[in-house]
Amino acid sequence: MTHTDLPTGLAPRLVRRTPAALTRLSTNARYMRQEEYQRLVANLRRDGALTSVPLIYGGGEYAEGAELILSGNHRCDAAADAGLAEIDCMLIDQPLSQSQLIALQLSHNAIAGEDDPATLKQLYEQIDEVDWRTYAGLDDKELALLDDVTLEGLSEANLDFQNVQVVFLPHELDRARRALEDARTGADETWLTSRADYEPTLDALASAHAAHNVGNVATAFGLILDVFENHLTDLQAGYLDDDGAARHKKPVGWETVFGTRTLPAEHAATLTRALRKAAKAGDVDDTRPWELLTRLAETYLERGAG
């Protein structure tokens, strides 16, 4: 990255252009929610003019009438949708570098809409000159936006979150999927884990690293899943109260009842024959075969109580 003097006297001029004919940015950090866009279109139809002029660039690279929109892509789209034949635009004619164009784009894009933090950061990192990064009006602190993303579906809370990526080898992936699915089906509520839980996760990984002397994160995570596998019945706390009665009526995994995902084949064969016989005799619904086991369990409990 090199220092260069910022150009002075850009000398933009006001021109009339057909909004649909202008060239759109291939990468635009700005987005606009659909309801905002429709309001903009409605306002333009009412006003019959675009009162906030877009910034466009020719520089000998784009034909007259098809210049690149540096700022105002949504305004040009809305103007076209509103049926405006021509709009006023501010045109920069002099040739500019890619860094200068991106810096102009970012510096002007505070006018309307909202920033996609990931794209904003991607564009900023493409500016290879310090002066033009400064010109863009963004600093590294402001670009730590991925930690402060506000999700539309979580508008009730301004959550600060961090993404964690774990890469698994093929033979580890199935085990991870099973364990995570069991954790989901064994619970009666869905929670968004807080950032405070991130440190305990790192602590658990560190403990697995140290105990088994492994350096790979996925392997350490696999060891944590092994511990989880050995404590499947702990998930019963999600659907049993202190007296052993069901907290809810949602399905739960068999493995949380038996503490294992498998059973010996001969036992599976015996259970299968019994379940088929009961279903054929009409003693149980063949879509609810577990009811036979429930009845046997109830009989056993009643006998034990007597």
Side-chain angles (χ1 to χ4, degrees):
M1 185 177 296
T2 61
H3 294 265
T4 185
D5 292 334
L6 298 178
T8 58
L10 287 176
R13 58 189 177 91
L14 198 62
V15 296
R16 296 283 289 177
R17 291 291 185 262
T18 301
L22 293 169
T23 302
R24 272 57 177 170
L25 288 168
S26 59
T27 305
N28 188 8
R30 217 62 168 163
Y31 71 91
M32 185 176 288
R33 291 191 297 269
Q34 184 63 22
E35 59 270 22
E36 291 181 351
Y37 181 80
Q38 292 304 325
R39 284 199 300 269
L40 177 58
V41 172
N43 288 345
L44 291 177
R45 287 196 181 118
R46 180 198 62 200
D47 297 338
L50 184 60
T51 56
S52 177
V53 298
L55 179 67
I56 61 176
Y57 168 74
E61 301 176 46
Y62 297 89
E64 182 175 338
E67 292 91 348
L68 177 68
I69 305 170
L70 293 178
S71 172
N73 282 260
H74 294 103
R75 280 170 282 160
C76 290
D77 288 341
D81 288 343
L84 302 185
E86 287 188 328
I87 59 174
D88 289 325
C89 298
M90 195 66 69
L91 171 65
I92 296 175
D93 275 327
Q94 69 189 84
L96 298 176
S97 70
Q98 181 69 11
S99 291
Q100 292 167 343
L101 290 175
I102 294 176
L104 279 169
Q105 173 193 340
L106 297 183
S107 69
H108 280 257
N109 270 348
I111 296 173
E114 298 178 31
D115 288 321
D116 172 8
T119 306
L120 185 65
K121 187 172 184 178
Q122 175 191 11
L123 286 171
Y124 181 77
E125 290 174 347
Q126 291 180 35
I127 302 176
D128 57 6
E129 297 174 19
V130 171
D131 289 336
W132 282 109
R133 286 196 171 192
T134 303
Y135 181 88
L138 305 171
D139 57 31
D140 292 337
K141 182 178 180 180
E142 289 176 291
L143 288 165
L145 297 173
L146 291 179
D147 291 337
D148 301 314
V149 173
T150 300
L151 300 178
E152 292 297 321
L154 297 172
S155 57
E156 291 79 10
N158 184 16
L159 299 175
D160 184 18
F161 70 93
Q162 184 165 351
N163 294 316
V164 178
Q165 184 179 43
V166 180
V167 179
F168 294 96
L169 294 174
H171 71 277
E172 298 172 324
L173 182 59
D174 288 340
R175 183 176 59 177
R177 282 175 174 166
R178 288 196 305 270
L180 293 173
E181 179 64 16
D182 287 342
R184 184 186 69 82
T185 58
D188 62 337
E189 296 183 33
T190 300
W191 294 82
L192 178 67
T193 186
S194 68
R195 191 170 182 177
D197 294 330
Y198 178 59
E199 290 297 334
T201 302
L202 292 183
D203 290 341
L205 285 170
S207 297
H209 277 299
H212 291 266
N213 193 28
V214 296
N216 181 271
V217 173
T219 301
F221 197 78
L223 293 170
I224 294 173
L225 294 178
D226 285 339
V227 174
F228 173 81
E229 289 285 323
N230 293 329
H231 292 81
L232 288 171
T233 55
D234 289 351
L235 291 173
Q236 293 173 2
Y239 58 85
L240 297 181
D241 61 21
D242 293 339
D243 296 324
R247 294 179 184 272
H248 59 81
K249 296 183 179 180
K250 297 178 182 179
V252 299
W254 281 103
E255 63 278 1
T256 66
V257 177
F258 297 113
T260 180
R261 300 178 188 279
T262 61
L263 70 161
E266 60 271 24
H267 294 276
T270 300
L271 286 172
T272 300
R273 290 196 302 270
L275 293 172
R276 287 177 178 174
K277 181 177 180 180
K280 185 175 181 179
D283 294 330
V284 295
D285 186 338
D286 59 1
T287 64
R288 302 170 61 86
W290 59 84
E291 290 182 347
L292 179 62
L293 298 180
T294 302
R295 292 177 191 174
L296 291 173
E298 289 172 346
T299 300
Y300 180 81
L301 291 172
E302 290 173 359
R303 186 180 65 184

